[in-house]
Amino acid sequence: MQNKKALRLEVLIGIFSVVLSSIYFILTFTIKEKGTLKGISYNSISPKFLPTIIAVLAIIVAFSILIPAIINYVKAPKDLPEGENDGKAPFLTKDRIIIIVSMIAYLCVIQYVGYIISTFVLSFGVLTYLEKAKLKRNLIFSVLFVVSCFFLFNNVLQIWLPMGVLFG
Amino acid sequence: MSLFSNLWMGLQVALVPMNFLFALAGVIIGQIVGILPGLGPIVTIAVLLPFTYNLEPVAAIMAFSGIYYGSQFGGAISAILVNAPGTEAAIITALEGYPMAKKGQAGKALATAAISSFVGGIIGTVLLTLLSEPMTKMVIAFAAPEYVVLMVFALVCISGFSENTTLPKCCFSICVGAAIGTIGLDGTTGTARLVFGNLNLYEGISFVILAIGMFAFAEVLRNLTHSQSKHKTELIKVSGSVKITKKEFLHILPTQIRSSLSGFLIGVLPGVGSTTSTPLAYLTEKMLYKQGDWGNGEIRGVAAGESSNNSCAMGAMVPLLTMGIPGSGTTAIMLSAFMILGIQPGPLLFQNNPEMVWGLIASFFIGTCILLAINLPLVKYCVKIVEIPNNILFMSVLLLAVVGAYSVSQRFFDVWMMLLFSIVGLLFTKFKFPLTPCLVSLLLSELIETNIARSVVICNHSLTEFITRPIVGVFMLLAVIVLVAPRAFKLMKREKR
């Protein structure tokens, strides 16, 4: 179902695509042209070749997202519903924010606290936040999963997970 | 060596206890993830990839392939009993299977799904066996210019056939993947590109990190919520035995054969997967048997969907094994697994590593038989997997994703990148930018660049010489057809209305 909000969003997506591809295009100028002598390329495909092609294509594609979106928005009938409450879940829900913030905190402390403690706190903390009533189940799962994962990686797969300041 | 001696050699490799055990583990894991809605083969292979770094490549590849085709089998169970298809391919199965289960025919629906998956898997594997050698002989003549257009053709197919999105968004997704692929040291000259002085970026962004972030971790962020824990799955109980009569089998056999053949052909095309093959098989049957009880539990509908998606999975193996070209997200991650394990799929794989490739094909036959054995007598127990609490399931994926990303290079920079890509993945899905083209183009961008560099030398720096090569011309023409034909058909339909 079309509504003004959706059409506006498409225009914003188009603008964002154009900005993103333009930034990438500008960044391609920072790539050094190795393999050229006095402006004549002896190795005809320079490191800049593919990024430049991608950037140009991305800009063309981004405009082909933006232009139809603007046309649709301008041509839309004036009595089109605003569509504020379209029933869709918002992108940043409270749960998602909490998980992302927990992950950021986890990644900041893991090297100091070690894999076992920090991962246990992450797993138990997030699960308990989501389901307070299942405290025992969350505790058993977190302990078993973290310990078996640590043992498997460190002892069997020989991928060394950080021990932290306390154990390392 | 003849086809049969190759297959015999493959069987001997597949039946080595270690290889057999990994293939078995793969199909069982595949069956489980197929049953669980939300977890798919891409997520599973992505998070399990680090577990295989120290394994024998043959065993690891057999396990991953088992996960891939095993998930096609498992998807039907939750589709029939919960009306929640475990995989996208099982959506069609739910259309007819769930009404059958509601009518008290759950056993019959499950048996039809299992037997049809088996028939589809076997027909697909036979066709893969027959086609792989001639395909290899054809592809071995390809030089760098042909490879460039072949890879570009694969990307065009992926964007041309993408559903629920627009062509520009699909192309933009390809550009994003290719742009990410240009970060790091350039493969031909060793020049650092877009690294901004960050030493962690010199190696480039790993494909595995992008896959874990965009698919596995993004899935965690979507599913690990309060609302999921409150939701209780309503499971229809399987009453009676899980079997069909001989008469019913003969009744659905033509449907199974037709759907398997069409599914396989669609699977071979890059970018067109079971989301296209299953509705096509279903609609074909609906057109052929208009008198059927469609929408209310028609047994042919279940047979069509399941035969088609299993055969399609085998079809997708053809471009992967013979050309080294992935046609979907799952085959892309499998290609990456091949490369990590030191194997380069393509025509030379059949020459240099016949034991491995024929062992893999033989394991498909064995795995499909195992899946039938699991699905018929044990399906009542498999169903219990649906009752695993969602939050426990996705917390396990989260924790595996973290160690998976860390183990790629044993540094936390990759875990940060994974977190970043999971947010990008969520945004992509929210704004209807498809993820698979981004993933495939990241994987192919380096190969395309290397082959362009070789093509420049082969074609003496001449673009005309490049374009006028016959195979290059054919693929370019095909690419134009893929891009133009679907849109032209749509326009013609609109004008008719």
Side-chain angles (χ1 to χ4, degrees):
Chain A
M1 199 58 186
Q2 288 282 44
N3 57 53
K4 275 184 187 170
K5 196 184 168 189
L7 291 175
R8 251 198 313 270
L9 186 68
E10 281 300 309
V11 174
L12 285 175
I13 292 169
I15 293 171
F16 183 73
S17 309
V18 171
V19 171
L20 197 69
S21 41
S22 305
I23 292 172
Y24 181 71
F25 182 68
I26 293 163
L27 285 175
T28 58
F29 289 100
T30 64
I31 301 170
K32 284 176 192 165
E33 287 253 17
K34 235 183 182 176
T36 54
L37 193 65
K38 289 180 183 172
I40 301 160
S41 167
Y42 55 82
N43 176 11
S44 63
I45 158 158
S46 84
K48 235 179 159 176
F49 178 74
L50 192 67
T52 311
I53 287 183
I54 295 166
V56 172
L57 282 176
I59 290 174
I60 295 169
V61 170
F63 273 107
S64 62
I65 295 172
L66 178 65
I67 294 167
I70 293 173
I71 293 171
N72 284 342
Y73 185 70
V74 173
K75 277 189 177 175
K78 283 181 181 170
D79 56 345
L80 203 67
E82 189 57 36
E84 282 300 337
N85 299 313
D86 52 3
K88 284 181 189 167
F91 174 70
L92 277 176
T93 58
K94 194 182 163 194
D95 290 346
R96 269 183 203 166
I97 294 171
I98 286 186
I99 294 167
I100 292 169
V101 171
S102 311
M103 268 303 292
I104 292 171
Y106 167 73
L107 288 176
C108 289
V109 302
I110 188 167
Q111 273 161 305
Y112 308 104
V113 183
Y115 175 80
I116 293 183
I117 295 174
S118 55
T119 311
F120 167 76
V121 172
L122 173 80
S123 167
F124 183 66
V126 171
L127 283 176
T128 309
Y129 159 72
L130 295 172
E131 282 177 281
K132 283 188 187 82
K134 307 273 170 125
L135 212 65
K136 200 173 157 188
R137 184 201 73 183
N138 297 343
L139 184 73
I140 295 169
F141 166 79
S142 301
V143 170
L144 283 180
F145 198 97
V146 170
V147 171
S148 50
C149 214
F150 184 79
F151 175 79
L152 183 70
F153 272 82
N154 275 29
N155 295 47
V156 182
L157 300 172
Q158 263 129 43
I159 292 168
W160 313 112
L161 295 169
M163 303 284 279
V165 180
L166 285 175
F167 304 98
Chain B
M1 264 164 86
S2 73
L3 187 68
F4 286 105
S5 52
N6 279 333
L7 261 182
W8 178 244
M9 175 182 68
L11 265 176
Q12 286 170 321
V13 176
L15 290 172
V16 168
M18 181 62 121
N19 295 343
F20 179 77
L21 275 177
F22 272 91
L24 181 67
V27 293
I28 292 172
I29 295 170
Q31 166 88 7
I32 293 169
V33 297
I35 294 171
L36 293 165
L39 276 187
I42 299 185
V43 174
T44 315
I45 298 174
V47 295
L48 292 183
L49 201 53
F51 289 87
T52 59
Y53 290 161
N54 297 331
L55 283 179
E56 273 292 310
V58 183
I61 294 296
M62 281 181 185
F64 287 141
S65 310
I67 292 172
Y68 181 35
Y69 60 83
S71 66
Q72 309 294 325
F73 256 77
I77 297 174
S78 43
I80 291 167
L81 298 179
V82 198
N83 199 21
T87 54
E88 280 182 351
I91 293 171
I92 291 297
T93 311
L95 279 182
E96 301 296 339
Y98 186 64
M100 274 180 85
K102 272 171 79 178
K103 281 197 276 186
Q105 298 175 341
K108 194 199 274 186
L110 288 167
T112 307
I115 293 167
S116 305
S117 297
F118 174 76
V119 172
I122 292 293
I123 290 178
T125 314
V126 169
L127 291 173
L128 167 69
T129 312
L130 295 173
L131 264 181
S132 45
E133 275 217 301
M135 280 286 274
T136 310
K137 279 178 188 157
M138 191 182 82
V139 177
I140 212 147
F142 283 17
E146 282 77 23
Y147 265 109
V148 172
V149 279
L150 186 64
M151 283 184 264
V152 172
F153 175 67
L155 291 174
V156 166
C157 283
I158 287 170
S159 41
F161 294 125
S162 271
E163 288 163 349
N164 306 323
T165 185
T166 59
L167 182 66
K169 282 188 178 178
C170 214
C171 293
F172 194 76
S173 184
I174 289 178
C175 291
V176 171
I180 294 170
T182 59
I183 297 171
L185 292 178
D186 163 35
T188 43
T189 62
T191 311
R193 295 188 296 203
L194 311 170
V195 293
F196 314 108
N198 188 334
L199 285 176
N200 290 310
L201 286 173
Y202 274 72
E203 278 176 38
I205 307 276
S206 162
F207 170 85
V208 180
I209 301 296
L210 188 91
I212 295 178
M214 276 189 158
F215 287 90
F217 208 86
E219 207 59 53
V220 169
L221 292 178
R222 260 191 289 273
N223 290 285
L224 204 58
T225 58
H226 270 103
S227 52
Q228 288 291 331
S229 54
K230 283 171 194 161
H231 174 74
K232 273 254 169 192
T233 312
E234 276 187 34
L235 197 75
I236 294 178
K237 282 200 173 167
V238 185
S239 51
S241 55
V242 182
K243 64 178 183 187
I244 52 170
T245 61
K246 194 180 165 189
K247 195 182 163 193
E248 282 166 335
F249 175 69
L250 291 173
H251 176 68
I252 57 171
L253 189 62
T255 299
Q256 291 171 334
I257 295 171
R258 263 193 304 273
S259 307
S260 302
L261 292 174
S262 65
F264 182 84
L265 288 174
I266 288 172
V268 174
L269 288 172
V272 201
S274 46
T275 42
T276 307
S277 77
T278 47
L280 187 80
Y282 180 74
L283 290 173
T284 309
E285 293 308 310
K286 215 172 160 179
M287 264 167 45
L288 287 173
Y289 297 98
K290 283 181 181 147
Q291 70 278 22
D293 194 14
W294 298 100
N296 296 313
E298 172 60 50
I299 193 169
R300 282 196 195 90
V302 178
E306 285 307 302
S307 309
S308 173
N309 71 28
N310 281 276
S311 186
C312 185
M314 293 303 168
M317 289 288 174
V318 176
L320 177 71
L321 293 176
T322 59
M323 298 183 243
I325 301 283
S328 65
T330 316
T331 46
I333 199 151
M334 281 184 63
L335 175 62
S336 138
F338 271 93
M339 286 152 119
I340 288 170
L341 295 163
I343 303 160
Q344 179 60 54
L348 291 177
L349 182 68
F350 283 79
Q351 272 185 5
N352 301 340
N353 223 335
E355 295 89 5
M356 193 244 132
V357 74
W358 287 107
L360 182 65
I361 291 173
S363 80
F364 294 164
F365 283 108
I366 299 168
T368 309
C369 296
I370 295 170
L371 280 164
L372 183 70
I374 294 173
N375 275 274
L376 285 180
L378 301 175
V379 73
K380 287 180 185 173
Y381 307 101
C382 292
V383 145
K384 300 275 174 207
I385 296 161
V386 180
E387 290 168 355
I388 294 177
N390 248 300
N391 286 339
I392 292 290
L393 179 72
F394 284 100
M395 180 50 80
S396 314
V397 177
L398 182 149
L399 299 178
L400 284 174
V402 169
V403 281
Y406 172 76
S407 56
V408 171
S409 303
Q410 304 210 17
R411 55 185 189 182
F412 280 98
F413 175 78
D414 289 333
V415 190
W416 283 104
M417 292 306 287
M418 178 206 71
L419 187 62
L420 176 73
F421 285 129
S422 68
I423 297 166
V424 173
L426 277 180
L427 285 169
F428 262 47
T429 317
K430 171 92 181 164
F431 301 127
K432 292 188 177 169
F433 284 89
L435 297 177
T436 306
C438 178
L439 195 71
V440 177
S441 72
L442 168 64
L443 191 66
L444 293 184
S445 62
E446 199 188 332
L447 292 171
I448 290 177
E449 192 170 22
T450 318
N451 280 296
I452 288 176
R454 285 183 195 148
S455 304
V456 168
V457 179
I458 291 171
C459 299
N460 300 317
H461 300 231
S462 157
L463 187 67
T464 328
E465 210 169 301
F466 178 83
I467 296 171
T468 49
R469 290 172 79 94
I471 299 170
V472 171
V474 168
F475 274 111
M476 282 168 82
L477 187 70
L478 283 173
V480 173
I481 292 170
V482 167
L483 280 179
V484 175
R487 275 134 207 104
F489 278 126
K490 263 188 190 172
L491 270 177
M492 275 161 63
K493 262 189 182 177
R494 246 188 237 169
E495 274 184 15
K496 265 188 183 177
R497 273 179 205 164

